[in-house]
Amino acid sequence: MKPSPDERREARRTLATSAYSADMIRSLEQPFLDDGVPLMRIAAGSLASVADVMLTQAGMEPAEARIVLLAGAGNNGGDGLYASADLAGHGADVTVVATGRSLHQGGLDALLRAGGVVTALDPQAAIPGCEAPTGPDQASEELDQAVDLCRQADLIIDAMTGIGLKGALRGIPAALAAELGMESGLPDRPAWHYPAGQNGPLVLAVDTPSGVDIDEGTLPGAYIPADVTVTMGAMKPCLMLPPSAYVCGRIVLVDFGFDTSALVPSVSCMNAEDCAGLLRAPRVDDTKYSRGVVGLVTGSALYHGAGLLSSRAAASGNVGMIRYCGPEQVGNLILQELPETVLGRGRVESWVLGSGVPTRQAQEAAGPEGQDGQRDLIADILNRQAADLDEDDAAADPPVVADAGALDLLPDRLGPRTVLTPHAGEMAALLNSHGENVDGDQVMAEPLRWAVRACQLTGATILLKGAITLVVGEDGTDRPRVMTTGFGPAWLSTAGSGDVLSGTIGAMLAQNAGPIQDDATLMVDLTAAAAFLHGLAGSLASGGRQTGWEQPLIFDPRKPQDFADLVAEDNQPEGQGVVAGHMGQPIRAGQVADALPRAIGLVMSRAEGAAEQIDQSIQDGDDASQFFENSSLWF
Ligand SMILES: NC(=O)C1=CN([C@@H]2O[C@H](COP(=O)(O)OP(=O)(O)OC[C@H]3O[C@@H](n4cnc5c(N)ncnc54)[C@H](O)[C@@H]3O)[C@@H](O)[C@H]2O)[C@@H](O)CC1
Ligand SMILES: [K+]
């Protein structure tokens, strides 16, 4: 039976927001290969179509383009060879640089038939019809020539390694990547997508950029950042996780029709529809109490503003009420801006702790001025969480968000109903207090590894902030649940943004108090949903389309023309190429909190099928319009 439009939309959403490990990808491919489905040819056709679109959008004539294919010895090279054969068949000038000792035979035959030429860089290469360098001197000369050739090309197709990469690139692929791409670290360029190929050849990565670690999402050595990555069949973790996802450019997913229903993804990405399902709709019999109450122990005698910002976000986050606990002068400040606030303790459905509260060290350094009781209250609430666990009654007390100054007050053991929201430096301190030896830079370089480790060591749900934010926690299985959200502009890295985030998470938890009591695995989704809303609010406030991560465009190999149309639509306002976007304007944290109700309203009304309303507000020139007009937020 043909799937309904809703089923198709759902399948595409799963495809775009779920990443599977290299092993799982192979298990998904296998039944197709067993049935003789020519996946490689389909992959290659899709690659050639995307290459065509990239060149055309950059103002070039594909039939006259100079294309260099960097081809490894594996099937990733095979994909590239067949694609290049297609492009050469249409007139492009194609040179293949073989980076291994052999090439995929079928791909090579096709390429040669289409008039492509092959250069081998490895003296031990045995490639029919192609001479290998005779010694190290000639090999190094050939390597230099290949680098020059690449630099002068219109398009580089990077097919050195895909899911078969083991460890960091070595040998010739490493040398090429170091010359043409990066030896380590991230490229020094703005977060917003710039027009592809502006400062050199366009780069199209086959399946994954060569050199990124597929399952961990790290950059273990040299790699080539891509303008566009065309990935086959399903998303891989490296295309969603920081830092590797930052170097994939625009992602295009070729839909082979894999059946992923039996697999739990390694990484999932929070998205508008799932977020909508986690927001509690107000009911006719609601009271301010039934909609959830957030308690905040944030702000301090030393830092007043964080108390206000976290309160502002919590009060704007779809709850019935907030209670603020803290120094009188901060309470007064909050009341001036948020007269709805109730001061002092009482029944709450979630706690937000520690934003704007000094660490022990900072408080000691401040002397008597820093003494305000906030840390004692936080320690008390956190210790109750630990006691609940000891008494086997984990849900006895409300869930907690522990930020900043709460992070050095954690008891030894916490449960998933406590969310920790460290930045990289705080994460390193947290890990070190549990016996690891790591600094903030190492956390940034291997965020998944360290977030998983922090989750194992503390038992808590971990949110690690970044342009792509990572959430790791309990999944009820032997593997952790890993979610990302890269939705939101890099403008969000501004003072107070974290305070707004902690308040937003608190609101998300309070409105879901009941479901959380029954199911702690919801904590990851709710935390990621709050981060998603925080990003969306940032986008609305900044009026731009720039995001840390964008959902892949889906390429249906049976309908290549649809893709060309999709891309044309995707880029209409700027017309600057597949990865064009526009940057919006700088924002302050308070503006993010103030945009939160609008973000929530948009997400909720869309879920109820009120698409027309949003479209109308776009046409009416509402300031959300630019953002939604061409966003791939919805499916
Ligand atoms: N099996 C199939 O028919 C399909 C395969 N596909 C493609 O095949 C790829 C996987 O192919 P393979 O399993 O052959 O693996 P790859 O082609 O991804 O990688 C294997 C090659 O990489 C080299 N290599 C591995 N680690 C290296 C390192 N550290 N430094 C330098 N070189 C290194 C190996 O020597 C070998 O030449 C996918 O990424 C995808 O592009 C897709 O086309 C889907 C269909
Ligand atoms: K590749």
Side-chain angles (χ1 to χ4, degrees), residues 353 357 524:
L353 310 176
V357 173
V524 173

Side-chain angles (χ1 to χ4, degrees), residues 26 29 33 39 73-76 79 161-164 166 168 170 207:
R26 291 191 195 281
E29 278 174 359
L33 297 176
L39 288 185
N75 289 332
N76 194 253
D79 289 352
T161 61
I163 61 170
K166 297 278 171 282
R170 296 178 310 270
D207 211 18

Side-chain angles (χ1 to χ4, degrees), residues 70 76-77 157-163 204-211 229:
L70 305 176
N76 194 253
I157 302 180
D158 164 17
M160 297 197 291
T161 61
I163 61 170
L204 167 56
V206 178
D207 211 18
T208 67
S210 301
T229 296

Side-chain angles (χ1 to χ4, degrees), residues 186 217-218 242-244 246 423-425 438-448 450 464-466:
L186 289 174
T218 57
S244 58
Y246 301 135
H423 55 59
V438 57
D439 63 27
D441 288 341
Q442 286 166 294
V443 170
M444 296 278 276
E446 297 179 281
L448 177 67
W450 291 116
L464 182 58
K465 299 169 193 177

Side-chain angles (χ1 to χ4, degrees), residues 95-224:
T95 306
V96 176
V97 174
T99 61
R101 294 181 183 170
S102 60
L103 283 176
H104 185 279
Q105 192 59 48
L108 175 62
D109 293 344
L111 186 274
L112 294 175
R113 273 199 305 276
V117 294
V118 182
T119 305
L121 300 186
D122 191 325
Q124 301 194 46
I127 299 171
C130 170
E131 275 178 35
T134 51
D137 286 350
Q138 203 192 346
S140 118
E141 221 171 89
E142 295 273 356
L143 182 76
D144 291 346
Q145 278 172 17
V147 169
D148 284 344
L149 190 70
C150 286
R151 292 209 171 113
Q152 288 155 23
D154 299 316
L155 173 69
I156 298 173
I157 302 180
D158 164 17
M160 297 197 291
T161 61
I163 61 170
L165 175 69
K166 297 278 171 282
L169 282 181
R170 296 178 310 270
I172 292 165
L176 272 173
E179 284 290 332
L180 296 168
M182 298 289 298
E183 253 177 297
S184 63
L186 289 174
D188 180 16
R189 66 188 190 197
W192 47 88
H193 293 146
Y194 57 95
Q198 206 177 32
N199 303 312
L202 297 161
V203 177
L204 167 56
V206 178
D207 211 18
T208 67
S210 301
V212 308
D213 187 286
I214 308 298
D215 292 343
E216 293 291 313
T218 57
L219 303 169
Y223 69 93
I224 303 184

Side-chain angles (χ1 to χ4, degrees), residues 218-241:
T218 57
L219 303 169
Y223 69 93
I224 303 184
D227 297 308
V228 176
T229 296
V230 175
T231 203
M232 310 311 166
M235 295 287 281
K236 289 89 198 168
C238 63
L239 307 177
M240 279 194 193
L241 289 168

Side-chain angles (χ1 to χ4, degrees), residues 135-366:
D137 286 350
Q138 203 192 346
S140 118
E141 221 171 89
E142 295 273 356
L143 182 76
D144 291 346
Q145 278 172 17
V147 169
D148 284 344
L149 190 70
C150 286
R151 292 209 171 113
Q152 288 155 23
D154 299 316
L155 173 69
I156 298 173
I157 302 180
D158 164 17
M160 297 197 291
T161 61
I163 61 170
L165 175 69
K166 297 278 171 282
L169 282 181
R170 296 178 310 270
I172 292 165
L176 272 173
E179 284 290 332
L180 296 168
M182 298 289 298
E183 253 177 297
S184 63
L186 289 174
D188 180 16
R189 66 188 190 197
W192 47 88
H193 293 146
Y194 57 95
Q198 206 177 32
N199 303 312
L202 297 161
V203 177
L204 167 56
V206 178
D207 211 18
T208 67
S210 301
V212 308
D213 187 286
I214 308 298
D215 292 343
E216 293 291 313
T218 57
L219 303 169
Y223 69 93
I224 303 184
D227 297 308
V228 176
T229 296
V230 175
T231 203
M232 310 311 166
M235 295 287 281
K236 289 89 198 168
C238 63
L239 307 177
M240 279 194 193
L241 289 168
S244 58
Y246 301 135
V247 307
C248 298
R250 195 76 174 93
I251 300 167
V252 178
L253 168 55
V254 182
D255 183 3
F256 286 159
F258 282 164
D259 176 7
T260 56
S261 56
L263 292 180
V264 178
S266 308
V267 182
S268 305
C269 174
M270 183 42 69
N271 58 86
E273 242 118 327
D274 288 341
C275 179
L278 296 167
L279 283 160
R280 183 184 184 281
R283 299 166 193 170
V284 283
D285 60 348
D286 258 341
T287 67
K288 63 190 175 198
Y289 298 112
S290 61
R291 293 188 58 211
V293 179
V294 183
L296 297 112
V297 190
T298 58
S300 60
L302 292 178
Y303 310 112
H304 297 186
L308 177 57
L309 285 167
S310 52
S311 299
R312 207 154 144 182
S316 307
N318 190 35
V319 293
M321 196 171 103
I322 66 167
R323 294 184 191 274
Y324 178 75
C325 308
E328 196 182 337
Q329 60 278 45
V330 184
N332 288 337
L333 185 72
I334 293 173
L335 277 182
Q336 275 174 27
E337 279 227 23
L338 303 166
E340 312 85 348
T341 310
V342 175
L343 298 185
R345 290 180 77 164
R347 190 197 151 103
V348 299
E349 275 68 47
S350 75
W351 281 112
V352 179
L353 310 176
S355 311
V357 173
T359 57
R360 183 170 55 85
Q361 224 177 3
Q363 193 179 44
E364 279 171 8

